[in-house]
Every structure is written in structure tokens, then in C-alpha cells.
Amino acid sequence: MIQQEEEVFKVFATVSAKLYNEEEDTRDKSNMEKDMIEDARFNTPLLVITEAFEDLADSLKPRRQKRSEIGQNGVVSNEGLRLDAFCSACTHVSVLFGCLGFAFKFAEMEYVSKVRDLEEASKTFDTLHNIIDLDVMNQTVKTQGSYSRNLRRVRLGLDLIRAIFEQFLMTNEYYSLKDAATKAYTQVCAPFHTWAVRTAVYAGMYTLPTRDQLLLRLNETDQSVEKNMRRYMEASRPIIEYIDKLYTDRNIKLDW
């Protein structure tokens, strides 16, 4: 009788342990899924882009000198924006073009190809002004495929996203994303695109997602999207101005 009770207890203990372990595994899996959801919510594509450009903008700010380096004004002039860091931040932006769908497919393809070319250049050149100086010396600034031309096109892509965000935050039920994107494209890129490209882009505007669909694709809420878009607009502005100044300081007009 005692032996039978011991056997029953062993079986009960084994089954209980197995059920406990399965319950723990289920709980761990559930917690892991919750953590993944939380990570996804707090590390949205837009947030990643925003933080990358905030870091770039910070790198342009003059840094304080060390005590042993202090000069007349106590500030070290920035040596220039690093090309590799710039490309690293820019690679994230293609996700935004993808979220806009067919209308901006051409812009996405052009943007991605130009960023890749600059990434390759970053293996040889340290800063943005290095690649422009090379093209100035070779008189190839506006030549198809030159680093300076590629940089100019990437800069337009960054400004287009900024303008779309600006217009998007003005949208309401009477002012669609189509209207916002059309106005942004007309302001930023249309003057530099051929008639065929402009026609294709404007025709594709009808395929743009709705405001709610865009929020879903970006994994953002009304509150978070406004905050992150404004952060990108603020962070990208000095980057865009810096790139423009690289050209104008070398007497290169910005009408191309």
C-alpha cells in the first residue's frame, strides 16, 4: 500500500513538474512577445530616423575645447560632417518612401541608389566637403553619377520627407495626405525632375495611403507621429542647410 502511494506520488510529482515547466515556458514566451511588442512600439522606423538625424545635427554643433586646447574663443570649429555617419543616417529614410507606396517609388529608387554610391565613397573619403572638393577639382560637380550630384539628390530626398511631414501635420479630414504630398513634391523635387517623372509621380498620388493607414505602417499614434515628425523636421533642417552651404561656399548654384 505504501509502495503504491509512493508510486502515485512520483507520478503526480512528475506530472506537476511538467505542467509547471510548460506554464513557465508559456509565461516566458508571453513575456517575450510583450517585450517585442514594446520594443517595436518604442523603436519605430520614424523614431530611429529621428534619433539618427538628431545625432548628425549634434555633430555639427561646435564642441567645447579641452583646457589644454583653449584658444581665443574657447570653441573648436567643426571639421565637417563625416560621410560614413551621414550615409548611415540616410539609409533609414528609404523606409519612409516605402510607406508612401507607388507614388514615390521613383524617388525611393533614386534616393537608395545615390545613398549606396555615397556609402561606397565613404570608404575613401572622410567628409562631405571632401567629395565636393574632388568634383570641383575635376570639374564634374554636375556630371551624372558624380559624388556631388548624388549628394545633391540625397539632400532633395531628405528635404522632401521634411516637407511631407510639415504638410502632413497640417492635414485634417478635409486636407488629405494626397494634397500634403503633392504640395511637398511640387515645392521640393518637381523643379528638378523631367516632365515624364513629374507626370508619373502626380498620377501615383492617387495610390497614397490614408492618414490612418500611414500611421499603421509607421507603427505610430496621432500623438507620437506628431512628436517624431517635428523632431525630424527640426534635426534635418541644419543638415540640409549645411549641405547647401557646401555648394554655395564654392560658388555652385542650387538650381539643378
Side-chain angles (χ1 to χ4, degrees):
M1 184 69 178
I2 295 176
Q3 185 175 2
Q4 289 180 340
E5 290 178 350
E6 289 178 347
E7 290 296 327
V8 171
F9 177 77
K10 288 180 181 180
V11 172
F12 176 77
T14 300
V15 172
S16 296
K18 183 177 181 180
L19 291 174
Y20 175 80
N21 289 334
E22 289 178 350
E23 184 178 351
E24 285 295 302
D25 289 342
T26 300
R27 186 180 294 111
D28 289 341
K29 184 177 181 180
S30 177
N31 290 336
M32 185 180 299
E33 290 174 347
K34 288 180 180 178
D35 289 341
M36 290 174 66
I37 292 173
E38 288 296 309
D39 289 342
R41 188 161 65 89
F42 289 108
N43 291 287
T44 65
L46 183 52
L47 180 58
V48 171
I49 294 166
T50 295
E51 292 179 343
F53 277 86
E54 285 177 340
D55 288 342
L56 277 186
D58 286 342
S59 73
L60 289 178
K61 296 177 182 177
R63 65 178 177 84
R64 301 296 301 181
Q65 287 181 322
K66 296 178 181 178
R67 183 171 299 179
S68 60
E69 300 174 339
I70 293 179
Q72 293 181 348
N73 58 11
V75 175
V76 175
S77 61
N78 196 283
E79 296 179 354
L81 189 61
R82 289 194 58 83
L83 184 55
D84 54 359
F86 175 74
C87 291
S88 178
C90 289
T91 54
H92 299 297
V93 178
S94 60
V95 175
L96 297 180
F97 285 113
C99 289
L100 293 172
F102 176 76
F104 288 93
K105 191 62 180 177
F106 175 81
E108 179 186 7
M109 292 172 61
E110 182 181 47
Y111 177 87
V112 170
S113 68
K114 300 301 186 282
V115 171
R116 286 175 179 168
D117 287 341
L118 292 178
E119 277 185 307
E120 190 64 27
S122 70
K123 298 176 182 178
T124 305
F125 302 96
D126 291 333
T127 63
L128 272 63
H129 70 253
N130 289 153
I131 60 175
I132 296 181
D133 286 340
L134 175 70
D135 285 329
V136 169
M137 182 178 65
N138 294 332
Q139 298 183 344
T140 55
V141 170
K142 299 182 181 181
T143 301
Q144 187 76 28
S146 71
Y147 296 139
S148 297
R149 186 179 178 86
N150 290 344
L151 177 60
R152 175 74 180 146
R153 291 298 177 264
V154 171
R155 173 255 184 250
L156 288 177
L158 300 179
D159 200 20
L160 176 61
I161 292 297
R162 181 205 58 77
I164 289 175
F165 285 178
E166 184 176 66
Q167 295 299 319
F168 180 84
L169 295 179
M170 296 169 57
T171 62
N172 51 47
E173 58 182 321
Y174 304 108
Y175 190 61
S176 68
L177 179 58
K178 170 183 168 293
D179 295 326
T182 299
K183 186 172 182 179
Y185 174 78
T186 301
Q187 290 176 345
V188 177
C189 293
F192 309 105
H193 283 168
T194 64
W195 176 87
V197 172
R198 293 197 303 271
T199 301
V201 171
Y202 286 131
M205 291 294 183
Y206 292 94
T207 67
L208 284 170
T210 64
R211 182 186 180 91
D212 288 341
Q213 287 173 334
L214 182 60
L215 290 179
L216 184 62
R217 293 179 185 182
L218 292 175
N219 195 23
E220 299 281 352
T221 64
D222 281 322
Q223 293 73 30
S224 68
V225 79
E226 179 174 356
K227 178 181 178 181
N228 289 330
M229 283 184 174
R230 291 193 185 282
R231 285 175 61 187
Y232 172 82
M233 289 162 54
E234 183 69 23
S236 64
R237 187 169 289 109
I239 306 299
I240 293 169
E241 291 173 352
Y242 173 83
I243 294 173
D244 285 348
K245 194 171 185 299
L246 289 177
Y247 292 100
T248 57
D249 282 352
R250 292 162 176 77
N251 297 317
I252 303 171
K253 294 182 179 180
L254 303 176
D255 57 352
W256 52 288

